[in-house]
């Protein structure tokens, strides 16, 4: 199914433009990820109009780039490419946003520890300029419209509270009514 997902992403001109922009940043361990890709795929799989006007989630991992420098880079992206609502996050600093979480070791490590399995997805252009995917939990949840916590979130009660808060406030089921959202008992 990864090749099907790669083909879907490759055939979308906006996603390819975004991936090309991200590639040109030349940031270490850099990926387009999370809701940007998840929402695109859910729109495609549910035959809805695809709109990439929500957050364009970009992660990278570089201990040599400060939090402040990352914010400046994000601002420059917003100014240079105003068609998209950019969010640029250096994963060196992002573990603070999840309770009881140690420093991430890489962007892949961070993506695998996102709250929902369907959100734990990354795409980038490889050295041949072809779409490369990182999907630690595969495509099942995306193709079957399932929202469930990652194993990392299941391990901790505080993280699970964050998961429940996210899936409740995001209200994804309003746009994709066929979603099956799994909540703890």
């Amino acid at each position: 199914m990864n090749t099907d997902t790669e083909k879907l992403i490759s055939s979308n001109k906006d996603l390819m433009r975004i991936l090309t922009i991200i590639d040109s940043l030349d940031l270490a361990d850099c990926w387009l990820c999370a809701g940007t890709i998840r929402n695109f795929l859910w729109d495609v799989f549910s035959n809805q109009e695809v709109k990439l006007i929500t957050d364009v989630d970009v992660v990278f991992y570089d201990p040599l780039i400060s939090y402040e420098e990352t914010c400046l880079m994000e601002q420059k992206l917003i100014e240079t490419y105003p068609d998209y609502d950019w969010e640029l996050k250096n994963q060196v600093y992002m573990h603070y946003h999840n309770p009881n979480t140690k420093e991430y070791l890489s962007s892949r490590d961070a993506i695998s520890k996102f709250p929902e399995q369907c959100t734990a997805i990354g795409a980038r252009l490889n050295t041949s300029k072809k779409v490369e995917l990182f999907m630690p939990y595969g495509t099942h949840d995306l193709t079957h419209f399932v929202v469930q916590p990652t194993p990392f979130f299941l391990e901790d009660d505080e993280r699970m509270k964050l998961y429940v808060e996210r899936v409740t406030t995001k209200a994804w089921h309003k746009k994709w009514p066929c979603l099956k959202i799994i909540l703890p008992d």
Side-chain angles (χ1 to χ4, degrees):
M1 185 58 151
N2 273 7
T3 44
D4 292 342
T5 306
E6 289 167 8
K7 286 178 186 173
L8 285 172
I9 292 170
S10 297
S11 67
N12 183 278
K13 67 179 178 104
D14 280 323
L15 279 179
M16 290 307 293
R17 180 173 185 239
I18 291 167
L19 288 170
T20 301
I21 292 167
I22 292 167
D23 188 54
S24 74
L25 299 174
D26 203 27
L27 292 169
D29 197 11
C30 191
W31 299 82
L32 175 64
C33 66
T36 308
I37 301 171
R38 179 201 61 226
N39 294 354
F40 165 76
L41 292 172
W42 281 349
D43 283 349
V44 169
F45 296 148
S46 62
N47 296 315
Q48 293 192 33
E49 181 183 357
V50 174
K51 291 185 180 178
L52 294 175
I53 57 172
T54 59
D55 298 335
V56 175
D57 302 305
V58 182
V59 298
F60 70 100
Y61 188 90
D62 191 338
L64 301 178
I65 297 178
S66 71
Y67 181 83
E68 294 76 17
E69 289 171 305
T70 303
C71 291
L72 290 173
M73 292 167 49
E74 179 183 71
Q75 190 56 43
K76 184 163 173 62
L77 263 176
I78 292 167
E79 291 168 5
T80 307
Y81 304 101
D83 296 348
Y84 307 108
D85 188 10
W86 298 95
E87 286 194 14
L88 180 67
K89 304 295 181 202
N90 188 346
Q91 297 305 293
V92 170
Y93 310 106
M94 296 308 293
H95 64 284
Y96 296 115
H97 294 275
N98 289 332
N100 306 316
T101 300
K102 294 179 182 174
E103 290 181 20
Y104 298 128
L105 304 174
S106 66
S107 289
R108 285 178 186 236
D109 183 37
I111 291 168
S112 73
K113 293 175 179 167
F114 283 178
E116 308 88 24
Q117 290 187 36
C118 60
T119 304
I121 180 172
R124 66 181 177 190
L125 297 180
N126 63 21
T127 55
S128 302
K129 306 301 181 203
K130 301 288 183 201
V131 173
E132 173 186 350
L133 293 178
F134 175 64
M135 302 177 74
Y137 306 104
T139 59
H140 179 272
D141 287 5
L142 287 164
T143 58
H144 290 83
F145 296 91
V146 175
V147 179
Q148 66 179 316
T150 59
F152 182 72
F153 266 69
L154 280 170
E155 295 172 350
D156 184 273
D157 289 341
E158 287 185 60
R159 288 194 293 261
M160 282 302 294
K161 286 179 190 173
L162 180 62
Y163 163 82
V164 170
E165 180 183 314
R166 272 180 54 85
V167 298
T168 304
T169 58
K170 294 281 187 181
W172 293 320
H173 63 282
K174 289 182 180 176
K175 184 167 183 191
W176 300 284
C178 58
L179 285 179
K180 178 183 178 188
I181 298 173
I182 299 174
L183 294 169
D185 295 331

